[in-house]
Short mmCIF file of all heavy atoms in Angstrom, two decimals:
data_model
loop_
_atom_site.label_atom_id
_atom_site.label_comp_id
_atom_site.label_asym_id
_atom_site.label_seq_id
_atom_site.Cartn_x
_atom_site.Cartn_y
_atom_site.Cartn_z
N CYS S 1 87.16 15.94 122.88
CA CYS S 1 86.11 16.29 121.90
C CYS S 1 86.16 17.85 121.66
O CYS S 1 86.31 18.72 122.54
CB CYS S 1 84.75 15.97 122.40
SG CYS S 1 84.46 14.17 122.32
N LEU S 2 85.88 18.23 120.39
CA LEU S 2 85.83 19.59 119.94
C LEU S 2 84.57 19.87 119.18
O LEU S 2 84.06 18.99 118.51
CB LEU S 2 87.03 19.94 119.00
CG LEU S 2 88.39 19.70 119.54
CD1 LEU S 2 89.42 19.79 118.40
CD2 LEU S 2 88.74 20.75 120.63
N HIS S 3 84.07 21.06 119.23
CA HIS S 3 82.97 21.50 118.41
C HIS S 3 83.37 21.36 116.99
O HIS S 3 84.58 21.75 116.65
CB HIS S 3 82.54 22.95 118.70
CG HIS S 3 81.29 23.36 118.05
ND1 HIS S 3 81.24 23.70 116.67
CD2 HIS S 3 80.02 23.40 118.43
CE1 HIS S 3 80.05 24.06 116.32
NE2 HIS S 3 79.22 23.92 117.39
N PRO S 4 82.54 20.92 116.08
CA PRO S 4 82.97 20.74 114.67
C PRO S 4 83.57 21.88 114.07
O PRO S 4 84.55 21.78 113.25
CB PRO S 4 81.66 20.34 114.01
CG PRO S 4 80.82 19.67 115.07
CD PRO S 4 81.18 20.38 116.33
N ASP S 5 83.08 23.08 114.37
CA ASP S 5 83.65 24.31 113.83
C ASP S 5 85.05 24.68 114.33
O ASP S 5 85.72 25.50 113.71
CB ASP S 5 82.78 25.52 114.13
CG ASP S 5 81.35 25.42 113.50
OD1 ASP S 5 81.30 24.61 112.50
OD2 ASP S 5 80.39 26.07 113.86
N ALA S 6 85.48 23.98 115.44
CA ALA S 6 86.72 24.31 116.06
C ALA S 6 87.80 23.27 115.57
O ALA S 6 88.99 23.48 115.84
CB ALA S 6 86.68 24.24 117.51
N VAL S 7 87.52 22.23 114.78
CA VAL S 7 88.42 21.30 114.35
C VAL S 7 89.63 21.89 113.56
O VAL S 7 90.79 21.57 113.82
CB VAL S 7 87.78 20.18 113.49
CG1 VAL S 7 88.82 19.21 112.92
CG2 VAL S 7 86.77 19.39 114.44
N SER S 8 89.29 22.81 112.66
CA SER S 8 90.35 23.36 111.81
C SER S 8 91.38 24.22 112.54
O SER S 8 92.48 24.44 112.06
CB SER S 8 89.69 24.20 110.63
OG SER S 8 88.98 25.21 111.20
N ALA S 9 91.00 24.60 113.73
CA ALA S 9 91.85 25.52 114.54
C ALA S 9 92.79 24.69 115.46
O ALA S 9 93.61 25.31 116.17
CB ALA S 9 91.05 26.38 115.36
N HIS S 10 92.75 23.41 115.47
CA HIS S 10 93.58 22.57 116.36
C HIS S 10 94.42 21.61 115.47
O HIS S 10 93.85 20.82 114.73
CB HIS S 10 92.67 21.73 117.34
CG HIS S 10 92.01 22.59 118.35
ND1 HIS S 10 90.94 23.35 118.09
CD2 HIS S 10 92.32 22.77 119.68
CE1 HIS S 10 90.51 23.97 119.26
NE2 HIS S 10 91.44 23.69 120.14
N ASP S 11 95.69 21.71 115.65
CA ASP S 11 96.66 20.85 114.92
C ASP S 11 96.36 19.34 115.25
O ASP S 11 96.36 19.02 116.42
CB ASP S 11 98.09 21.21 115.23
CG ASP S 11 99.10 20.39 114.44
OD1 ASP S 11 98.79 20.11 113.21
OD2 ASP S 11 100.12 20.00 115.01
N GLY S 12 96.18 18.50 114.24
CA GLY S 12 96.07 17.16 114.43
C GLY S 12 94.59 16.78 114.72
O GLY S 12 94.29 15.55 114.79
N ALA S 13 93.70 17.65 114.87
CA ALA S 13 92.25 17.34 115.09
C ALA S 13 91.63 16.79 113.88
O ALA S 13 91.94 17.19 112.80
CB ALA S 13 91.51 18.58 115.60
N LYS S 14 90.57 15.94 114.08
CA LYS S 14 89.91 15.34 112.98
C LYS S 14 88.40 15.35 113.22
O LYS S 14 87.97 15.22 114.40
CB LYS S 14 90.37 13.89 112.72
CG LYS S 14 91.82 13.69 112.33
CD LYS S 14 92.25 12.28 112.15
CE LYS S 14 93.73 12.18 111.78
NZ LYS S 14 94.14 10.73 111.62
N HIS S 15 87.61 15.46 112.17
CA HIS S 15 86.17 15.36 112.23
C HIS S 15 85.83 13.92 112.62
O HIS S 15 86.43 13.01 112.16
CB HIS S 15 85.56 15.82 110.95
CG HIS S 15 85.59 17.31 110.79
ND1 HIS S 15 84.70 18.22 111.37
CD2 HIS S 15 86.43 18.05 109.99
CE1 HIS S 15 85.03 19.45 110.96
NE2 HIS S 15 86.09 19.34 110.12
N ALA S 16 84.74 13.72 113.35
CA ALA S 16 84.32 12.37 113.70
C ALA S 16 82.77 12.35 113.81
O ALA S 16 82.14 13.30 114.29
CB ALA S 16 84.95 11.95 115.01
N THR S 17 82.18 11.24 113.38
CA THR S 17 80.75 11.11 113.34
C THR S 17 80.31 9.77 113.91
O THR S 17 80.86 8.75 113.44
CB THR S 17 80.18 11.32 111.95
OG1 THR S 17 80.61 12.60 111.42
CG2 THR S 17 78.66 11.34 111.90
N THR S 18 79.41 9.71 114.88
CA THR S 18 78.86 8.51 115.40
C THR S 18 77.37 8.57 115.37
O THR S 18 76.75 9.51 115.86
CB THR S 18 79.34 8.36 116.87
OG1 THR S 18 80.79 8.24 116.89
CG2 THR S 18 78.77 7.06 117.47
N ASP S 19 76.69 7.47 114.88
CA ASP S 19 75.29 7.37 114.98
C ASP S 19 74.94 6.45 116.17
O ASP S 19 75.66 5.51 116.54
CB ASP S 19 74.72 6.60 113.73
CG ASP S 19 74.74 7.50 112.47
OD1 ASP S 19 74.76 8.76 112.59
OD2 ASP S 19 74.80 6.88 111.35
N PHE S 20 73.87 6.78 116.95
CA PHE S 20 73.54 5.98 118.14
C PHE S 20 72.02 5.75 118.14
O PHE S 20 71.28 6.55 117.57
CB PHE S 20 73.93 6.65 119.45
CG PHE S 20 73.22 7.90 119.79
CD1 PHE S 20 71.98 7.78 120.56
CD2 PHE S 20 73.62 9.16 119.38
CE1 PHE S 20 71.28 8.90 120.88
CE2 PHE S 20 72.86 10.29 119.74
CZ PHE S 20 71.71 10.16 120.46
N SER S 21 71.63 4.60 118.70
CA SER S 21 70.25 4.30 118.86
C SER S 21 70.03 3.50 120.16
O SER S 21 70.73 2.48 120.40
CB SER S 21 69.77 3.38 117.63
OG SER S 21 68.38 3.03 117.84
N VAL S 22 69.11 3.99 120.96
CA VAL S 22 68.80 3.23 122.29
C VAL S 22 67.89 2.04 121.95
O VAL S 22 66.79 2.22 121.40
CB VAL S 22 68.20 4.21 123.23
CG1 VAL S 22 67.83 3.45 124.55
CG2 VAL S 22 69.14 5.35 123.58
N LEU S 23 68.35 0.86 122.38
CA LEU S 23 67.48 -0.28 122.07
C LEU S 23 66.65 -0.62 123.38
O LEU S 23 65.52 -1.07 123.17
CB LEU S 23 68.49 -1.50 121.75
CG LEU S 23 69.34 -1.30 120.59
CD1 LEU S 23 70.20 -2.51 120.36
CD2 LEU S 23 68.59 -1.00 119.33
N GLU S 24 67.24 -0.54 124.58
CA GLU S 24 66.47 -0.80 125.77
C GLU S 24 67.04 0.20 126.90
O GLU S 24 68.19 0.60 126.75
CB GLU S 24 66.57 -2.19 126.26
CG GLU S 24 65.89 -3.23 125.37
CD GLU S 24 64.36 -3.18 125.43
OE1 GLU S 24 63.80 -2.67 126.55
OE2 GLU S 24 63.70 -3.63 124.51
N ASP S 25 66.25 0.41 127.91
CA ASP S 25 66.84 1.24 128.94
C ASP S 25 66.32 0.80 130.36
O ASP S 25 65.30 0.02 130.39
CB ASP S 25 66.45 2.73 128.76
CG ASP S 25 64.99 3.03 128.78
OD1 ASP S 25 64.37 3.02 129.82
OD2 ASP S 25 64.36 3.17 127.65
N VAL S 26 67.01 1.18 131.35
CA VAL S 26 66.55 0.92 132.77
C VAL S 26 66.17 2.28 133.35
O VAL S 26 67.06 2.93 134.00
CB VAL S 26 67.62 0.23 133.54
CG1 VAL S 26 67.22 -0.14 134.99
CG2 VAL S 26 68.13 -1.02 132.90
N GLY S 27 65.02 2.80 133.08
CA GLY S 27 64.69 4.09 133.49
C GLY S 27 65.67 5.14 132.95
O GLY S 27 65.99 5.07 131.76
N LYS S 28 66.11 6.01 133.86
CA LYS S 28 67.12 6.89 133.44
C LYS S 28 68.57 6.57 133.86
O LYS S 28 69.44 7.36 133.77
CB LYS S 28 66.79 8.25 134.09
CG LYS S 28 65.51 8.94 133.49
CD LYS S 28 65.27 10.29 134.16
CE LYS S 28 63.98 10.97 133.63
NZ LYS S 28 63.78 12.24 134.21
N ARG S 29 68.69 5.32 134.43
CA ARG S 29 69.97 4.91 135.01
C ARG S 29 70.93 4.29 133.95
O ARG S 29 72.13 4.47 134.12
CB ARG S 29 69.70 3.96 136.17
CG ARG S 29 71.00 3.59 136.89
CD ARG S 29 71.53 4.87 137.58
NE ARG S 29 72.86 4.56 138.15
CZ ARG S 29 74.01 4.77 137.59
NH1 ARG S 29 74.04 5.18 136.35
NH2 ARG S 29 75.13 4.62 138.20
N ALA S 30 70.48 3.46 133.03
CA ALA S 30 71.38 2.84 132.09
C ALA S 30 70.56 2.52 130.82
O ALA S 30 69.41 2.46 130.77
CB ALA S 30 71.96 1.57 132.75
N ALA S 31 71.41 2.32 129.79
CA ALA S 31 70.77 2.02 128.50
C ALA S 31 71.62 1.04 127.68
O ALA S 31 72.84 1.11 127.78
CB ALA S 31 70.47 3.31 127.68
N TRP S 32 70.97 0.29 126.92
CA TRP S 32 71.63 -0.57 125.86
C TRP S 32 71.59 0.18 124.55
O TRP S 32 70.48 0.46 124.02
CB TRP S 32 70.88 -1.92 125.77
CG TRP S 32 71.22 -2.81 124.60
CD1 TRP S 32 72.12 -2.75 123.69
CD2 TRP S 32 70.37 -3.93 124.26
NE1 TRP S 32 72.05 -3.74 122.81
CE2 TRP S 32 70.99 -4.51 123.15
CE3 TRP S 32 69.23 -4.63 124.82
CZ2 TRP S 32 70.43 -5.68 122.54
CZ3 TRP S 32 68.71 -5.74 124.29
CH2 TRP S 32 69.36 -6.28 123.06
N VAL S 33 72.76 0.53 124.00
CA VAL S 33 72.81 1.42 122.93
C VAL S 33 73.52 0.75 121.73
O VAL S 33 74.51 0.04 121.95
CB VAL S 33 73.58 2.73 123.26
CG1 VAL S 33 73.73 3.59 122.04
CG2 VAL S 33 72.79 3.43 124.42
N ALA S 34 73.07 0.93 120.49
CA ALA S 34 73.80 0.50 119.38
C ALA S 34 74.48 1.66 118.69
O ALA S 34 73.92 2.79 118.79
CB ALA S 34 72.77 -0.10 118.23
N LEU S 35 75.71 1.43 118.31
CA LEU S 35 76.49 2.57 117.88
C LEU S 35 77.20 2.18 116.47
O LEU S 35 77.59 1.05 116.29
CB LEU S 35 77.74 2.86 118.83
CG LEU S 35 77.27 3.22 120.21
CD1 LEU S 35 78.49 3.07 121.18
CD2 LEU S 35 76.71 4.60 120.29
N VAL S 36 77.21 3.15 115.56
CA VAL S 36 77.83 2.97 114.29
C VAL S 36 78.91 4.08 114.14
O VAL S 36 78.54 5.26 114.13
CB VAL S 36 76.87 3.10 113.08
CG1 VAL S 36 77.62 3.10 111.77
CG2 VAL S 36 75.92 1.85 113.13
N PRO S 37 80.21 3.75 114.03
CA PRO S 37 81.27 4.72 113.85
C PRO S 37 81.33 5.06 112.41
O PRO S 37 81.95 4.31 111.55
CB PRO S 37 82.49 4.04 114.33
CG PRO S 37 82.22 2.54 114.08
CD PRO S 37 80.68 2.31 114.25
N VAL S 38 80.68 6.17 112.02
CA VAL S 38 80.69 6.60 110.55
C VAL S 38 82.13 6.89 110.16
O VAL S 38 82.49 6.58 109.00
CB VAL S 38 79.75 7.77 110.35
CG1 VAL S 38 79.79 8.18 108.91
CG2 VAL S 38 78.35 7.47 110.79
N THR S 39 82.91 7.50 111.07
CA THR S 39 84.37 7.62 110.89
C THR S 39 85.03 6.68 111.88
O THR S 39 84.35 6.16 112.70
CB THR S 39 84.76 9.09 111.11
OG1 THR S 39 84.29 9.41 112.47
CG2 THR S 39 84.18 10.03 110.09
N GLY S 40 86.31 6.45 111.72
CA GLY S 40 86.99 5.47 112.55
C GLY S 40 88.12 6.10 113.30
O GLY S 40 89.27 5.73 113.02
#
């Protein structure tokens, strides 16, 4: 993973975007998460 501003400085690097939403959790130990890969 790279900071978005550093992508252009690395050969072959690509921007990537993911949306996430927590649906349920077990305290702070684990979570059920929905994910949408805006990029692939």
Side-chain angles (χ1 to χ4, degrees):
C1 287
L2 301 170
H3 188 280
D5 293 342
V7 170
S8 60
H10 290 77
D11 184 38
K14 296 179 180 179
H15 290 281
T17 304
T18 299
D19 292 333
F20 71 89
S21 176
V22 176
L23 303 181
E24 292 288 339
D25 62 76
V26 182
K28 295 182 178 180
R29 185 63 187 92
W32 166 11
V33 178
L35 301 166
V36 170
V38 180
T39 53

